[in-house]
């Protein structure tokens, strides 16, 4: 096993509220695209030479594969502005009661039934745990429209309502849902946490068929008005933090976030975007998107959501998916993912908050080599004073799979910094 610690970053990131800038819209076109894509589309975010708040950010300052990382506050502001450019009409955040989901929707032909890794999560030895658990089901309205309704599942143990507890948010992997996370939620709740699971965009209660997520990705490529891959869910997680920090039973300074695969990416970007997530432990999610393109290691990630890349290949007149197709898709459905918002800039921006990255050493979707630059920059960001707050664990012989060891590492990480 490879275990890496890094260092303390001296500049405290500014709070999230200072960076929710007013929206500006940039219209541009993807070159070499068929006529139906050459018309301006709403909410396109300009990747390079972006003017924000009166200051111009140049491509050199956004350098990803070398040089110094951008100022965390600046890059966080840019990311939050991007999120705002593709939002539906804003509505006051409201909480709506919901009922437990009896038959969860998994966007898989054969729904999963058991996860050894999740079942292995450390749990307090409480004989009547099921009787002590308190379950809450609710919806948070994060913006107008069907996808602005965030389904939330919260588990905690019954007890003194005046006690403020640490909380951990859990994000599921592709095609799954919050109910799949229940073994983790119960385990953490048994140990005194308020455990929260949500359905990411186009998943769970926010899906209506086995192809809802796939269709949303293709639609994003064609229309450029949503960001279903990672970014739109991050908006929901910012709104979720608004809600959690206002609850009487949660310590607002002790909220952690974790997730598996797609959920690991959600956890990574939410921790980057919102400093109220005090501790982060993304599992098999952190990767270098630009590195993968430059080093011809993009195939496994592309295969995980291949339909959108096939759609782009056809539109671009290509016989096969190549690196040009990959780059154009990322720029279209998640602007900046393979440039200024890639791991070399966003991972060190989480400092000095505790960050654990857990990957498989042989994971083709998250190649370990692609994390060398983010790791090096994180060393500098955390500094000697807080070298214990950054850790990278690569489990030998493991591909794209969450294991019991990974679950235990994340569990220990939260106990160390939240309890």
């Amino acid at each position: 096993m490879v275990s890496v610690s890094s260092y303390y970053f001296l500049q405290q990131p500014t709070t999230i509220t200072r960076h929710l800038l007013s929206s500006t819209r940039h219209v541009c076109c993807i070159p070499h695209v068929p006529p139906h894509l050459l018309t301006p589309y709403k909410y396109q975010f300009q990747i390079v030479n972006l003017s924000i708040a009166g200051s111009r950010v140049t491509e050199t300052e956004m350098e990803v594969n070398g040089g110094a990382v951008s100022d965390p506050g600046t890059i966080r502001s840019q990311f939050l502005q991007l999120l705002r450019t593709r939002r539906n009409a804003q509505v006051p955040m409201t909480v709506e009661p919901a009922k437990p989901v009896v038959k969860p929707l998994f966007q898989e032909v054969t729904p999963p039934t058991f996860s050894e890794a999740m079942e292995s999560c450390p749990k307090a030895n409480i004989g009547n745990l099921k009787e002590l658990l308190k379950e809450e089901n609710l919806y948070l309205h994060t913006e107008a429209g069907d996808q602005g309704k965030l389904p939330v599942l919260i588990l905690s143990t019954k007890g003194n309502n005046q006690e403020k507890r640490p909380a951990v948010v859990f994000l599921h992997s592709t095609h799954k849902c919050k109910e799949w996370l229940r073994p983790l939620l119960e385990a953490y709740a048994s140990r005194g946490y308020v455990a929260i699971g949500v359905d990411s965009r186009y998943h769970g209660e926010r899906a209506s068929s086995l192809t809802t997520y796939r269709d949303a990705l293709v639609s994003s490529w064609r229309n450029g008005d949503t960001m279903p891959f990672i970014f739109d869910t991050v908006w929901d997680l910012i709104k979720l933090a608004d809600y959690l920090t206002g609850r009487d039973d949660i310590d607002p300074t002790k909220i952690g976030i974790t997730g598996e695969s797609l959920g690991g990416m959600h956890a990574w970007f939410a921790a980057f975007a919102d400093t109220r997530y005090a501790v982060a432990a993304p599992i098999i999610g952190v990767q270098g998107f630009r590195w993968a393109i430059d080093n011809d290691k993009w195939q496994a990630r592309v295969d995980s959501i291949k339909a959108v890349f096939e759609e782009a290949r056809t539109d671009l007149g290509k016989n096969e998916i190549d690196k040009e197709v990959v780059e154009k898709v990322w720029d279209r459905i998640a602007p900046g993912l393979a440039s200024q918002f890639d791991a070399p800039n966003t991972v060190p921006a989480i400092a000095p908050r505790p960050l654990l990255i857990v990957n498989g050493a042989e994971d083709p979707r998250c190649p370990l080599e692609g994390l060398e630059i983010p790791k090096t920059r994180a060393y500098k960001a955390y500094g000697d004073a807080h070298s214990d707050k950054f850790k990278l664990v690569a489990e030998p012989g493991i591909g794209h799979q969450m294991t019991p060891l990974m679950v235990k590492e994340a569990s220990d990480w939260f106990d160390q910094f939240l309890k």
Side-chain angles (χ1 to χ4, degrees):
M1 183 188 308
V2 180
S3 180
V4 184
S5 296
S6 69
Y7 306 110
Y8 178 173
F9 188 62
L10 297 178
Q11 180 175 351
Q12 175 70 30
T14 51
T15 60
I16 195 80
T17 53
R18 293 180 61 185
H19 299 301
L20 291 174
L21 304 177
S22 60
S23 168
T24 58
R25 296 180 180 181
H26 303 271
V27 178
C28 66
C29 302
I30 299 177
H32 313 300
V33 180
H36 75 276
L37 288 177
L38 283 174
T39 56
Y41 57 95
K42 69 175 182 176
Y43 308 156
Q44 172 62 30
F45 186 75
Q46 195 170 345
I47 301 300
V48 183
N49 294 329
L50 172 67
S51 291
I52 291 181
S55 62
R56 179 165 292 277
V57 182
T58 67
E59 187 171 14
T60 301
E61 290 169 319
M62 289 300 184
E63 189 176 8
V64 172
N65 290 320
V69 67
S70 298
D71 170 71
T74 299
I75 195 168
R76 187 173 295 115
S77 296
Q78 294 158 2
F79 184 70
L80 293 169
Q81 172 123 348
L82 167 62
L83 296 188
R84 290 176 66 85
T85 61
R86 293 196 189 181
R87 299 274 62 79
N88 288 326
Q90 294 303 292
V91 297
M93 190 183 70
T94 55
V95 181
E96 176 187 342
K99 295 180 179 180
V101 176
V102 177
K103 195 172 181 180
L105 175 61
F106 296 90
Q107 294 181 60
E108 300 172 352
V109 175
T110 303
T113 57
F114 177 79
S115 168
E116 178 187 2
M118 291 192 189
E119 294 290 347
S120 74
C121 187
K123 183 183 297 186
N125 187 16
I126 302 174
N128 61 338
L129 177 60
K130 296 291 185 182
E131 299 173 10
L132 293 177
L133 283 176
K134 174 185 176 183
E135 177 175 336
E136 300 171 68
N137 291 272
L138 54 92
Y139 301 115
L140 292 183
H141 291 266
T142 65
E143 63 178 309
D146 292 342
Q147 289 300 317
K149 188 175 181 179
L150 174 66
V152 183
L153 169 62
I154 303 174
L155 293 185
S156 59
T157 52
K158 301 170 186 176
N160 185 357
N161 291 332
Q162 303 302 315
E163 177 189 5
K164 287 189 177 291
R165 309 178 191 183
V168 177
V169 176
F170 298 83
L171 289 311
H172 58 78
S173 56
T174 302
H175 296 154
K176 294 185 174 64
C177 57
K178 63 185 183 303
E179 286 74 26
W180 177 246
L181 302 166
R182 192 173 187 97
L184 293 175
L185 302 182
E186 291 187 1
Y188 275 76
S190 77
R191 297 180 1 238
Y193 290 91
V194 177
I196 304 103
V198 304
D199 287 330
S200 63
R201 297 260 176 149
Y202 308 98
H203 286 78
E205 293 185 75
R206 306 167 99 173
S208 58
S209 73
L210 295 180
T211 64
T212 297
Y213 181 50
R214 182 193 71 184
D215 296 344
L217 292 168
V218 171
S219 175
S220 178
W221 162 257
R222 296 190 68 83
N223 300 313
D225 56 351
T226 60
M227 297 182 289
F229 188 67
I230 306 176
F231 291 175
D232 282 343
T233 295
V234 174
W235 177 262
D236 294 331
L237 294 171
I238 292 171
K239 296 296 186 178
L240 179 66
D242 290 341
Y243 169 72
L244 296 178
T245 53
R247 282 180 61 112
D248 292 337
D249 59 343
I250 291 178
D251 183 338
T253 68
K254 293 186 176 181
I255 301 176
I257 190 164
T258 185
E260 174 193 4
S261 190
L262 175 63
M265 290 183 262
H266 290 148
W268 156 27
F269 273 90
F272 152 63
D274 195 329
T275 60
R276 293 172 296 182
Y277 289 109
V279 182
I283 299 173
I284 60 172
V286 180
Q287 60 211 268
F289 288 90
R290 179 78 255 166
W291 182 93
I293 293 172
D294 291 342
N295 292 274
D296 198 32
K297 298 289 186 181
W298 46 263
Q299 292 82 357
R301 171 55 59 203
V302 165
D303 285 345
S304 70
I305 50 171
K306 196 168 185 178
V308 63
F309 291 93
E310 287 290 356
E311 184 81 8
R313 175 192 64 77
T314 301
D315 286 341
L316 295 167
K318 299 271 190 173
N319 293 324
E320 61 182 19
I321 299 171
D322 59 18
K323 63 188 298 183
E324 180 186 8
V325 173
V326 174
E327 189 164 13
K328 289 186 184 300
V329 168
W330 291 145
D331 284 349
R332 179 80 163 178
I333 73 172
L337 183 64
S339 52
Q340 69 261 46
F341 304 133
D342 201 358
N345 282 342
T346 53
V347 166
I350 295 172
R353 290 165 290 144
L355 171 62
L356 169 70
I357 298 173
V358 191
N359 281 6
E362 308 301 326
D363 188 345
R365 297 187 192 178
C366 306
L368 202 57
E369 300 91 334
L371 294 183
E372 282 301 314
I373 292 173
K375 179 186 69 176
T376 299
R377 291 183 175 184
Y379 272 109
K380 297 177 182 178
Y382 281 83
D384 290 333
H386 288 269
S387 60
D388 63 328
K389 290 185 177 180
F390 176 76
K391 187 178 181 183
L392 170 62
V393 176
E395 187 173 355
I398 299 298
H400 194 72
Q401 172 191 356
M402 185 172 74
T403 68
L405 183 144
M406 295 176 182
V407 170
K408 180 66 163 55
E409 287 280 350
S411 176
D412 291 347
W413 191 254
F414 288 122
D415 282 353
Q416 178 181 350
F417 292 104
L418 291 179
K419 301 201 79 175

